[in-house]
Amino acid sequence: MVVRSLLSPSVTLRWRSFGLLNSLPGAGKFFSTTTSTNNTSPTVRVWWDSACPLCMREINFMKRLDQSHHKRIDFVDIRRDTEAVEACPISTQDLIQRFHAQRISTPHEHRDSLNEQQPILSGAAAFALMWTELPAPLRWVGLAAQRSPLILRVAEKSYVWFLKHLRPTLQRWVTRYDRAPR
C-alpha cells in the first residue's frame, strides 16, 4: 500500500502491514457537525465513539484544546451523528475499533480539484493528523510523526499494543470511577 505524505504530495511512503490508510471512494463526502462561532472552517474530521468512557475523556480534552486554538477539527460522534456515519465509507464497527481522521478539502486551498478525495487515516496516522491542528506541543508531535516514517511506525505499533493490552484495563477503571458515588 502506498501512503502519500500529508505534507508533501510528491513524497510517498510504503506501509503494507500497518493499515494506516483507508482510501475509499466517496471518502470526502460527509456532513459537518461542527458549529463554529468564528469564521474558521474545520480542516480535519475525526470520528469518535461517545459510548467509550476513555474516548469521551480524551475527545473532551481535545475539544477544549481545539476551542482555545481555532476550532479546526470537526468531531463526529459515531453514536449520535447517524447521517455522517452512514455517508462514511468505513463501517461503524471499524470506526469503533480504531481511531479515524481525514483532512477536509476547503475552498481556500489551492488544489487541482476541490473534489479531490482525501484519504481517511486510522490509528497513529489519524492521531498525528488531529494533533497538527492543536496547539504546541501536540502540534509538534503530530508534525514529527507525519514527517518521519520511523516515528509513525513506532507510534502505530504502540497504538496497536495499547488497544490490545492497556485499553481494556483503562476502560474498566474509568467506568468504575464514573460509577463511584461522590
Side-chain angles (χ1 to χ4, degrees), residues 7-8 23 31-32 46 50 59 77 79-80 84-85 87 101 113 120 128-129 131 145 154-156 158 175:
L7 300 174
S8 172
S23 181
F31 301 98
S32 176
V46 168
S50 63
I59 293 299
D77 182 352
R79 302 289 179 165
R80 296 191 178 131
V85 172
S113 168
I120 296 176
L129 177 61
W131 291 341
V154 169
E156 179 63 22
S158 300
T175 303

Side-chain angles (χ1 to χ4, degrees), residues 16 47 50 62 66 68 78 90 99 107 147 153 162 166:
R16 297 191 186 280
W47 290 268
S50 63
M62 295 300 162
D66 186 44
S68 69
I78 62 176
I90 297 176
F99 186 74
R147 291 177 180 162
R153 202 169 324 143
F162 169 82
L166 201 54

Side-chain angles (χ1 to χ4, degrees), residues 99-117:
F99 186 74
H100 292 81
Q102 177 186 38
R103 178 151 315 274
I104 303 170
S105 294
T106 57
H108 67 274
E109 292 178 352
H110 298 288
R111 297 192 181 277
D112 297 333
S113 168
L114 291 178
N115 295 326
E116 180 181 325
Q117 301 297 321

Side-chain angles (χ1 to χ4, degrees), residues 57-91:
R57 288 172 185 267
E58 179 181 7
I59 293 299
N60 284 339
F61 177 67
M62 295 300 162
K63 283 180 178 179
R64 282 194 304 272
L65 291 175
D66 186 44
Q67 292 282 342
S68 69
H69 199 239
H70 295 293
K71 295 187 181 180
R72 305 284 307 251
I73 302 173
D74 179 15
F75 294 94
V76 178
D77 182 352
I78 62 176
R79 302 289 179 165
R80 296 191 178 131
D81 193 349
T82 56
E83 287 181 350
V85 172
E86 288 172 4
C88 182
I90 297 176
S91 72

Side-chain angles (χ1 to χ4, degrees), residues 121-167:
L121 304 174
S122 71
F127 276 104
L129 177 61
M130 178 180 67
W131 291 341
T132 61
E133 298 301 328
L134 296 172
L138 284 176
R139 179 180 184 83
W140 302 333
V141 173
L143 290 172
Q146 287 181 338
R147 291 177 180 162
S148 170
L150 177 63
I151 292 173
L152 192 57
R153 202 169 324 143
V154 169
E156 179 63 22
K157 286 187 181 247
S158 300
Y159 178 69
V160 169
W161 183 88
F162 169 82
L163 290 176
K164 185 176 180 182
H165 300 289
L166 201 54
R167 183 173 72 170

